[in-house]
Amino acid sequence: MQLRVSPTRLRGKLALAAALLFASAGTSFCASSSDTAEQFELKIHPLLANRCFVCHASTAMGGLSVDSREGLLRGGKSGPAIVPGDPEASLLIKAVRQTDDKIKMPMGQGRIPDSEIALLSDWVKAGAFWPEQKATA
């Protein structure tokens, strides 16, 4: 007896398996994956929301808003927060690594886990993908 699975169902099952593997595998942000948007929604957006949005979304402390790619690129008083492709030149990465005495984020929370820093660094290195926002009518 031969089992047949339609290509559509197979793709769906593979995408689910890849998402589960990514979610359980730790911190890698794979730029070559066709699931970049899903990786962003599963890992990066929640991290930014949990660690940064309180101070850097609607209130934009220091002039920095991190709730959009444009906000990160525009930056705040200290300059652009990210340099896509170059985590070492990105203030966001320097701030979360807390290697610069002037910029240590998130404020009042201590240093975030190395796994989260690596995830942000990998994301910036991969180009800092942010899905397009759809206008609401």
Side-chain angles (χ1 to χ4, degrees), residues 13 36 47 63 65-67 75 81 97 103-104 108 128:
K13 289 180 185 286
T36 303
L47 194 160
S65 178
V66 301
D67 58 358
R97 285 181 179 159
I103 304 173
K104 291 187 177 186

Side-chain angles (χ1 to χ4, degrees), residues 62-65 69-82 91:
L64 174 62
S65 178
R69 188 172 198 270
E70 293 75 26
L72 288 163
L73 291 170
R74 183 176 43 255
K77 292 178 183 176
S78 299
I82 59 170
L91 289 175

Side-chain angles (χ1 to χ4, degrees), residues 40-41 45 53 66-71 130-136:
F40 174 85
E41 292 301 332
H45 194 259
F53 283 9
V66 301
D67 58 358
S68 70
R69 188 172 198 270
E70 293 75 26
W130 197 291
E132 299 222 6
Q133 296 177 351
K134 300 195 191 268
T136 56

Side-chain angles (χ1 to χ4, degrees), residues 121-137:
S121 182
D122 289 349
W123 173 67
V124 170
K125 187 175 185 176
F129 170 84
W130 197 291
E132 299 222 6
Q133 296 177 351
K134 300 195 191 268
T136 56

Side-chain angles (χ1 to χ4, degrees), residues 67-113:
D67 58 358
S68 70
R69 188 172 198 270
E70 293 75 26
L72 288 163
L73 291 170
R74 183 176 43 255
K77 292 178 183 176
S78 299
I82 59 170
V83 177
D86 191 354
E88 302 308 315
S90 297
L91 289 175
L92 173 69
I93 304 305
K94 290 178 184 178
V96 297
R97 285 181 179 159
Q98 298 190 1
T99 55
D100 185 324
D101 288 334
K102 296 177 185 176
I103 304 173
K104 291 187 177 186
M105 296 293 152
M107 190 164 67
Q109 295 182 31
R111 192 168 185 267
I112 66 174

Side-chain angles (χ1 to χ4, degrees), residues 18-36:
L20 291 172
L21 179 62
F22 175 78
S24 66
T27 62
S28 180
F29 188 88
C30 181
S32 63
S33 172
S34 62
D35 295 324
T36 303

